[in-house]
Every structure is written in structure tokens, then in C-alpha cells.
Amino acid sequence: MSLENPFQDPLRFERRVPECAMVIFGANGDLTKRKLLPALYRLAYERRLDAGFAVLGISRTAMTDDQFREKMLASVKEFLEDSPFDADVWTAFAQGIFYMAGNFDDAALFPALDARLKAIEAARHTGGNVLFYLSAQPSQYIPIAQGIAAANVGKGSGWRRIVIEKPFGHDLASAQKLSTELHSAFEESEVYRIDHYLGKETVQNILALRFGNGIFEPLWNRRYVNHVQITAAESIGVEGRGAYYQEAGALRDMIQNHLSQVLATIAMEPSATFRPNSVRDERSKLLRSIRVMKPDEVLQNTVSGQYGPAHIGGEDVPGFRQEPGVKPDAQTDTYAAVTFFVDNWRWAGVPFYLRSGKHLPKRVTEIAIQFNAAPLAIFNGDETTTAPNLLILRIQPEEGISLKFLSKRPGTGMKLRPVSMDFNYGSSFGERSPSAYETLLLDAIIGDATLYTRQDMVEASWAVVDAIQHVWDETKFEFPNYAAGTWGPKAADDMLARHGHVWRQP
Amino acid sequence: MGAAGGTIAPDRILHDMADLWVTLGKQGEGDAGVLRACSMTLVVAAEESDDAQAIGETLAALMPEHPSRAIVIRFRAEGERGLSARVFAQCWMPFGHRQQICCEQIEIAASDASLPDLAAVVLPLTVPDLPVILWCRSPRLFHLPAFSLLASIAQKVVLDSAAFSDAATVLYRMNEISGALASGHWLADLSWTRLTRWRELIAQIFENRAQLANLPTVSDILISHRAAATPATAYYLGAWLIEGLAQAGAHARVQFRSDGGEPAWRLSLVELRAQGSADAIASIALAEGHAAEVRTGGLVSKALLPALTDYALMREELAIPGRDPVFERALAAAAKLALS
């Protein structure tokens, strides 16, 4: 019988973290500097990592271990949000940071990587456990997977896992090809597709709200829910990423992954247990229940938008087509709104409106669940006396939950007014919330894939999005169709109006 | 309201609290109003001479994470039987919000002689359906015969054995009380809470399979502390380690050593050794400031072990409103170890 650590105290300690080495492909890139290393340092600061935890960075640039450590130190200091920096903790953590230069297309890189990992395993007692992290350009995912498979680095004396960042392909066919290549080196259970939205505290709190309480679930169906709005708005434009964004667009960049996953979390059936595959099975089932639009339904149920120039706060804001690297006749959607229907017994007939856009009035991500109005208006008064109940789940920037309901106005007479009952995550729990990357990296090291996306989920959401994208690709839109700083094209309001609904202004 | 030598009516206090919310509601900006937050009743029993400002600051810091109705009872040893009370609110404005969040606070002044009357006053003031936690800041109160009446209202009573002069006696007494508590009532000790970071570091060392394999070979535990006499924290840690090692098949001896210095309860070193081995299997040594040096398997890493404030300790305890079986086992073992 294997020996268990007798010193664990789950009531007071954080989760158990095994020893491991983490290999970052694309170690010189923005994601590593801005998110990964600050998150890892923070985990070390919080004593969450094994003493021998090691990071091996790989990118094309020639650097020594020390030069890489210096570079990462500067990044951690610059991008460490809401956290103090401690030089002693860094010095000890940095002893486990290593670097090797290499080209991901070069087959010789991977045997060299294998040898380096063995040396690190011996020096740092990492037990042969390796977490590979693809922080490289998406076009390099397949060469890396092929290199790992050819050199058999995907197998070893401990566990091996690989984390990949979106996009998981640019359509269903490319997503399937990417998976096939990854599966040549890793089992599906070893592939961790990261969607940082699922790592956000409030998205996880949706599960707690729905399945930890008895009062919401009975209302969570077509009998009581009128419709659901999911909004992910950004107040900024493409910020120098015009060339990349031109090939992606809001539908692929946001709705195919983040918002579909949020929708799945909101609408999924309760899972039998809180084990990774049990939760992911339910998410996957829900995604497969989203009705795939026929070509003639697409333009009725979707809106593609692109921002034009505007004058905001005394400043001239360029339109998307005026952004650097963007073609002057680009047909890219910087705004996408979609009406989805979920074809199952729980949700039949309930519209789920998803929208995401750049250069909208404010940065906000929220889910608004609108319940049916009371069946009979017995109180005389204006329209406010029949205002429907709303449950708002705010994901960012102010994480929290609000319930709007009617209450009697103080005084004589029976006048009602809507009031809001608020739960603010940040102010109700003063503790600093871990960043999405801290949560997700730790999950990957521990082997908890609950918040990661599985291949069948990716394929299900691509099937839905591909049907829309094909029609959009064949359509010539009159862009720009909304001014930067507004809530998107008028057509998006019309789309809801056809169902008798209006967008909530977050 | 009320006066020394007088009495107080819980209904009156509740009425004053209702008025307080009306007043706060009127003060709210526009329609924003105030938000009332409450997740428990926190009763603080303190001496009149205890630092009122420090208690207030600790409660204010705890409120955002553990919003509570706080009932602070300040005792004076002398004086006739009498109680007095006042109510007020602790409010804060979360960054970037227009709406204030407020918690209620009731302050009661009492003499030792009025302790038997207090339970009848405090019970109606507790928030229905939410846990009641009693934080006893004074060893003297703990020893008063009528204290058990007040303690019986609470699901959890939090003490600090570091405040008692004789660690062995208080551990024995606490273990006795803990064993006699009715179902649904628990005891906690801030001396145990102070050890969480030490214990977590030790547990993390043995998450590594190579280190875990060494565990059955541990024969000696060395714990260094600052106090001249062995403090409760050292007994707790020693007992917890012995228990854990026994589970792994190791029968280890513990040795306590005094390094001198302040604060008395602070530990400075814990070391696990195998018989006849020159190097420790694992050691954690407090270095300069709050940094600790963790040595294991030839690797050295650094961790921060800051001295924990009342706020940090209570924050951890308030997050555990129910039973803590690891603490209960450690308390029983520490009491036995201290008396051996």
C-alpha cells in the first residue's frame, strides 16, 4: 500500500500540490511575461508550490538561465497585480527557473528537451512530472505536438500534461486536426485546453449558486426563465492587435469559446458529482444541445458589427478599418450578437442572447437571467409595477450577484418600485481572489480538469459557430455599423425586439 | 442607554438597532442606500482594561470578510451587578462603489458580578439562524464559574492559550472541556491557529514522493522556541508531528529547546531527523524578519512566516464555524505530551 501524506489538513490548508516541472513553449512571449510567471511567483509566495518546482522556458531567442531569470524578474515586478514582491521568495523560486533556446520546427530540440528535463528531475526532485504549456503562436501548436510525439517526451516516469491556449483551431475541421496531432503525444485526459473565463471566481461561483442552494434550481427552467442575456463588453479597441484580430473576429474570439462556456455553465444540468469528467460531461451535453442554425436562419438570429470612428471624451478614436495592420475594407466582426436556443426539456423556447464587442461604452461581463413577470398585475401603476425579476451575475469588473425585485414604496398607497439586493464578491469576502491563471495553473498541476475545456466541448461549440461563420463569410456587411463608444449596431436591438425583448444596459 | 449599576433590555437594544438602520438608510447617497451584511454573531468578551481601539480595529478588519453582528462585552472585575449598552454601525465603502456596507455593533459594559445575567441579554441579541462565535480574550474570564453560561450560547468558543501562564495546565483544562462539550459546540485555540503556516509548510514538504518515502525513518523531532518554558504552540506542533509520523510507521521522540527572545510563543526551528543521519530530513528555520528557510532533499527554499495579528488569527478561525477534528486530536495529544 502506498504511503499517504499524514500531515494534510484539508480544513485549513490549501489543496495538495505535487512536485513537477513546467515547460513553457514561447517563454519570451507576452503571455509568459504578463500572466504565467506572475501567477507562478504568486503561487510560490503563497507557499502553494513544491520546494523543487521548476520552470523550463523555451523560445527562439538565445539566452542563459540567468538572463532569462533577470527577464522574468522584471516581468514579475511589472505585472504582479495586488500583491507584494518579496526578494527572498523570488531568489529561492528563481533557482528553479531554467531556459533553453530552440526552434519549435527543429526536430533536434525535443531530444535535447528530454535530456534537460531528466537533469532537472534529478536536481529538483520533480518526480518525472511535467506540465507542458503552449504559450506560443497557434500556428506552432502542431509542430510542437509533433516534436513531443517524435521524441516521446510526452511519456515519462511521472505524469505528463499539456496546457494549450485558445484558439483551439479556427473552425471545426482545424480544431479536429489540432486534436489529432495532440493525441499523437498525449491522451485526451492529459490535454488541458485553457479558457481563463472558467477560472474566474464568479464563473465558478455560478456552480456554487446553482448547485449549492436549493432555492434557485427549481426556478432554473423554461417555466420561470423568460430569457438570458450574456454580455462581454470591452471599452477598448484592438490595441495594436489589428492584424491578428482581423483573422479572428468577435464570434470566433469570444463567442465560440468564453461565452459558450459561460452559457454551458449557466444552463447545464446538475452533475452527479463535482469530479472533472462529471461536470465536463454536463457542459458538453449542453453545448451539443444548442440548436445549429440553418443558413436561412443565421441573419435573423445573429448580428455582425464593426466599429467606426468616434469622438470619445475629447479624443478622436479611429474606426477598426483605420487601425494599424487592418485592411481598409476588412469585413471582420468587432461585435457579434447571437440568439441561441437550447433544445432540451429544460430550456426549449428560451432565448439565450450572447453579445461581445470592442469599443462598447464600458468594460463589463455579466449574465442577466430575466424571469417571467408575475402572471397577474394586481397593483395599479406604471410599467415599473410589473418589472420582471432579474438575477444578475457579474463576472467583471465588480464580481457579484444582484437580485432585482419589486418592493412597496414607503408611505400610504400601494406603489411599487424595483429594488436591488446585492452580493458583492470582493467586498463580502475581503480576501484577495486568486487570478484566473493562478487557479488554472494549480488545477493543471494537481490534475483537476474541471475548469478546462474538453475536445468534445470544443467541437460542439465550433459546430454551432461554424454554421454562423459560413453565412457571414458569404455576406457583404455594410461596415462600420456602430460608432465606437456605443452599445453596438441597431440591428442587435432589432434582433431582440423580434422576441419582445430589449438589451439590458449593464 | 443604560448605566453602570443598571440593567439593559434586549428589546430596547434591538429597537435602537432598527432606528440605526433607518438613520443609515437616510444618510445613503441618492438611491444607493446602505447594504446590511451579516454572516454570524461574533461575541467578544474582553477586560475593561483591554485595548478598546485594537479590538475595534480588529473587528473593522474582519467585517468585510466575515460580516457579523458584533457584541463586545467589556468586563470590570470590581463593582456591583450592572450592565450598560450602546449600539452603532461599522460601515465601509468598497472601492469604486457608491453604496456603503454596514454591520451592527453592540457594546456592553458589565461587571463580573453581572456575568450570570449576561446570557439572558446576549441570547436575544444573536442573529437567528446564523452561527454564534465567542472570542474570549481574557484568561481571567475563562476561569470565572459563570463563564460557561455565556459560552453555552456559542457554537464555537475561541481562546488563546498563549495568554495563560502555564501551558500544560491550560491544555489539560481545554482538552477536558472539549471532551465534555455538547454536540454542535466546539473549542478553538489561537495558539493552534498560529501554527497553520508551519504545519502547511511541513505538509507541503511531504507531498513530494521522494521526501514522503523518508517519513518512516524519522526518529527525532527538534522544536526550538523563544520562551523559557515550553509554550502551547510547541506542544501542539510536537504532538501533531508525533501523531502524523506514527501514521507513517515512525515512532519519533520530540525534544523542545528554548532559544530565548520574544514573542514567547513564537517558534524558531523545527527539524525532523533519522537516527544516525548527519543531515535533517527536513527543517524549517526562522531567519531574518519573517522569512523562513526550508531545507529538504538538498534544496533550500524561502517562505514567509509573518507574525500573525489578532485579525489574521480570527479570520482563519471564523472561516471554520464547525468541527475541526485535526485540532481536537492535536489538543488531546498536546495535553498528554505536556503532562508527560
Side-chain angles (χ1 to χ4, degrees):
Chain A
M1 202 173 71
S2 67
L3 186 58
E4 279 284 312
N5 184 348
F7 297 125
Q8 283 300 336
D9 184 352
L11 206 55
R12 290 183 190 255
F13 299 172
E14 299 286 354
R15 289 180 299 169
R16 309 159 70 145
V17 184
E19 64 277 23
C20 86
M22 178 169 164
V23 177
I24 303 177
F25 291 94
N28 206 21
D30 248 20
L31 181 71
T32 307
K33 287 188 263 191
R34 287 172 181 269
K35 300 288 182 190
L36 299 183
L37 255 294
L40 290 171
Y41 167 76
R42 181 70 211 175
L43 290 172
Y45 182 88
E46 294 281 358
R47 311 176 311 283
R48 306 300 312 280
L49 299 175
D50 180 69
F53 179 79
V55 176
L56 173 58
I58 309 178
S59 72
R60 276 194 298 251
T61 317
M63 263 188 285
T64 63
D65 288 343
D66 281 339
Q67 285 169 328
F68 183 58
R69 287 170 188 153
E70 281 304 309
K71 208 165 185 169
M72 292 303 109
L73 171 61
S75 304
V76 166
K77 281 182 172 170
E78 186 177 353
F79 298 111
L80 195 60
E81 292 167 4
D82 310 328
S83 299
F85 176 80
D86 185 276
D88 280 346
V89 173
W90 170 262
T91 305
F93 174 66
Q95 286 170 11
I97 297 181
F98 305 96
Y99 182 80
M100 62 188 284
N103 190 328
F104 305 143
D105 296 323
D106 179 4
L109 171 69
F110 296 90
L113 166 63
D114 194 32
R116 193 77 195 268
L117 279 173
K118 285 187 173 118
I120 289 172
E121 182 184 335
R124 309 278 307 169
H125 312 300
T126 52
N129 300 329
V130 182
L131 181 70
F132 297 97
Y133 199 110
L134 302 195
S135 174
Q137 292 294 322
S139 60
Q140 292 170 321
Y141 288 177
I142 288 179
I144 293 170
Q146 288 169 339
I148 290 173
N152 206 26
V153 196
K155 303 282 174 255
S157 53
W159 51 256
R160 303 278 154 125
R161 297 177 190 134
I162 186 164
V163 180
I164 64 168
E165 283 277 340
K166 68 155 188 163
F168 313 125
H170 51 84
D171 57 16
L172 179 58
S174 58
Q176 286 169 329
K177 179 168 168 36
L178 175 61
S179 264
T180 305
E181 294 295 344
L182 289 168
H183 291 161
S184 65
F186 299 94
E187 302 293 327
E188 174 59 26
S189 61
E190 296 166 334
V191 179
Y192 286 62
R193 295 173 188 81
I194 199 165
D195 186 323
H196 72 270
Y197 257 58
L198 292 182
K200 288 180 183 290
E201 287 279 283
T202 322
V203 175
Q204 295 176 63
N205 203 24
I206 294 170
L207 297 175
L209 178 89
R210 287 193 59 198
F211 305 130
N213 296 292
I215 59 168
F216 296 112
E217 203 50 27
L219 308 177
W220 219 261
N221 58 54
R222 62 190 301 279
R223 280 187 71 189
Y224 299 101
V225 174
N226 185 275
H227 70 274
V228 178
Q229 297 183 15
I230 303 176
T231 300
E234 289 181 62
S235 56
I236 56 171
V238 289
E239 304 290 300
R241 291 168 65 233
Y244 158 76
Y245 197 83
Q246 187 169 243
E247 305 304 320
L251 184 67
R252 284 190 179 114
D253 195 46
M254 292 294 291
I255 291 184
Q256 184 273 330
N257 41 68
H258 302 320
L259 297 199
S260 297
Q261 292 300 328
V262 171
L263 165 61
T265 309
I266 279 289
M268 66 188 245
E269 293 297 315
S271 76
T273 65
F274 196 61
R275 294 207 181 93
N277 266 342
S278 185
V279 175
R280 298 199 300 176
D281 284 346
E282 294 305 336
R283 276 208 184 99
S284 176
K285 259 165 61 185
L286 190 285
L287 289 167
R288 280 181 275 127
S289 306
I290 298 174
R291 189 186 303 165
V292 178
M293 289 178 213
K294 297 188 183 100
D296 61 334
E297 294 171 335
V298 168
L299 294 179
Q300 282 291 304
N301 290 298
T302 66
V303 174
S304 173
Q306 189 186 88
Y307 64 83
H311 193 74
I312 304 172
E315 232 179 282
D316 284 324
V317 174
F320 179 68
R321 288 173 173 175
Q322 288 78 49
E323 298 275 8
V326 175
K327 292 178 200 152
D329 58 349
Q331 281 283 306
T332 309
D333 50 306
T334 62
Y335 175 99
V338 176
T339 306
F340 281 140
F341 287 93
V342 176
D343 285 339
N344 64 19
W345 275 49
R346 186 189 283 263
W347 296 115
V350 177
F352 286 80
Y353 303 115
L354 278 62
R355 64 174 163 170
S356 177
K358 292 202 174 287
H359 260 320
L360 300 185
K362 66 198 278 197
R363 173 178 170 260
V364 62
T365 302
E366 65 162 39
I367 302 146
I369 297 156
Q370 183 168 319
F371 292 90
N372 288 325
L376 186 65
I378 61 169
F379 304 107
N380 293 325
D382 57 20
E383 70 280 0
T384 59
T385 61
T386 56
N389 298 124
L390 271 173
L391 182 67
I392 316 292
L393 310 172
R394 297 186 307 274
I395 293 172
Q396 61 185 15
E398 293 167 9
E399 299 186 322
I401 298 169
S402 300
L403 179 65
K404 294 205 186 302
F405 55 91
L406 291 177
S407 165
K408 182 185 173 298
R409 244 180 235 179
T412 56
M414 199 59 183
K415 291 184 176 165
L416 307 190
R417 67 173 178 189
V419 292
S420 174
M421 190 158 72
D422 292 326
F423 163 72
N424 189 295
Y425 208 79
S427 58
S428 298
F429 297 111
E431 199 168 356
R432 171 192 174 274
S433 294
S435 73
Y437 275 95
E438 284 169 54
T439 302
L440 291 167
L441 283 171
L442 211 54
D443 280 356
I445 294 169
I446 290 168
D448 180 352
T450 310
L451 301 177
Y452 283 86
T453 311
R454 210 168 53 189
Q455 176 59 15
D456 55 343
M457 296 153 80
V458 172
E459 290 186 11
S461 57
W462 270 125
V464 172
V465 164
D466 266 5
I468 300 167
Q469 192 70 53
H470 288 154
V471 174
W472 283 12
D473 288 346
E474 300 299 314
T475 308
K476 174 133 177 57
F477 293 105
E478 291 296 319
F479 285 159
N481 58 355
Y482 72 97
T486 66
W487 277 111
K490 183 182 170 300
D493 298 332
D494 297 341
M495 181 177 82
L496 264 68
R498 286 194 283 277
H499 296 279
H501 299 142
V502 290
W503 285 110
R504 204 182 106 75
Q505 296 234 336
Chain B
M1 180 200 24
T7 59
I8 50 175
D11 282 350
R12 181 73 206 160
I13 298 176
L14 293 168
H15 185 265
D16 285 353
M17 271 196 301
D19 285 350
L20 179 73
W21 285 109
V22 172
T23 310
L24 287 169
K26 284 178 183 162
Q27 287 169 357
E29 282 179 49
D31 290 333
V34 294
L35 195 67
R36 179 183 178 178
C38 192
S39 63
M40 67 182 71
T41 303
L42 175 59
V43 182
V44 183
E47 296 286 359
E48 193 178 35
S49 56
D50 201 344
D51 186 341
Q53 193 181 341
I55 296 174
E57 284 170 6
T58 301
L59 290 176
L62 286 169
M63 288 303 141
E65 193 174 344
H66 299 291
S68 321
R69 176 179 289 176
I71 304 173
V72 180
I73 310 168
R74 302 177 61 79
F75 287 89
R76 58 182 187 284
E78 304 298 322
E80 60 192 62
R81 204 167 178 138
L83 299 164
S84 65
R86 69 180 183 115
V87 299
F88 57 99
Q90 287 265 15
C91 297
W92 67 98
M93 183 92 81
F95 180 75
H97 289 244
R98 288 193 310 122
Q99 194 175 37
Q100 281 199 107
I101 299 177
C102 296
C103 292
E104 305 141 329
Q105 192 164 321
I106 302 164
E107 216 171 73
I108 298 175
S111 59
D112 281 1
S114 60
L115 188 54
D117 306 334
L118 259 180
V121 172
V122 173
L123 185 62
L125 297 179
T126 60
V127 183
D129 308 317
L130 292 176
V132 179
I133 315 289
L134 170 61
W135 177 19
C136 177
R137 290 175 55 90
S138 159
R140 191 183 66 81
L141 296 174
F142 177 66
H143 290 305
L144 291 177
F147 181 76
S148 60
L149 283 173
L150 187 60
S152 66
I153 295 172
Q155 277 78 56
K156 180 168 177 171
V157 176
V158 183
L159 301 167
D160 187 357
S161 58
F164 292 72
S165 54
D166 178 5
T169 308
V170 73
L171 288 173
Y172 176 76
R173 176 82 184 112
M174 282 175 63
N175 185 43
E176 214 177 44
I177 293 172
S178 176
L181 283 173
S183 163
H185 293 261
W186 302 280
L187 207 57
D189 183 357
L190 297 183
S191 288
W192 173 251
T193 323
R194 286 187 185 94
L195 284 174
T196 301
R197 290 181 179 213
W198 285 85
R199 294 191 304 118
E200 197 169 18
L201 276 177
I202 293 166
Q204 185 63 40
I205 289 170
F206 294 103
E207 271 307 295
N208 185 302
R209 284 170 296 164
Q211 301 312 322
L212 185 63
N214 290 327
L215 215 48
T217 68
V218 174
S219 59
D220 292 280
I221 305 163
L222 173 64
I223 297 172
S224 294
H225 51 82
R226 301 268 166 87
T230 308
T233 41
Y235 284 128
Y236 275 128
L237 188 60
W240 177 73
L241 284 167
I242 289 171
E243 292 264 302
L245 288 165
Q247 283 180 45
H251 299 285
R253 291 178 303 251
V254 62
Q255 186 194 341
F256 299 109
R257 190 174 70 190
S258 170
D259 288 343
E262 289 290 328
W265 46 260
R266 195 122 159 92
L267 304 180
S268 46
L269 171 77
V270 58
E271 198 173 85
L272 305 183
R273 281 182 183 276
Q275 196 156 27
S277 167
D279 295 322
I281 288 171
S283 73
I284 304 170
L286 212 55
E288 290 290 304
H290 300 309
E293 201 170 74
V294 182
R295 288 179 179 271
T296 175
L299 295 170
V300 182
S301 63
K302 287 280 168 68
L304 296 181
L305 289 174
L308 298 172
T309 59
D310 282 349
Y311 155 69
L313 297 168
M314 283 304 292
R315 177 176 165 233
E316 182 174 326
E317 283 307 325
L318 295 183
I320 307 170
R323 188 168 170 235
D324 182 351
V326 177
F327 166 66
E328 286 171 10
R329 282 199 303 273
L331 173 61
K336 209 167 142 188
L337 182 66
L339 292 174
S340 64

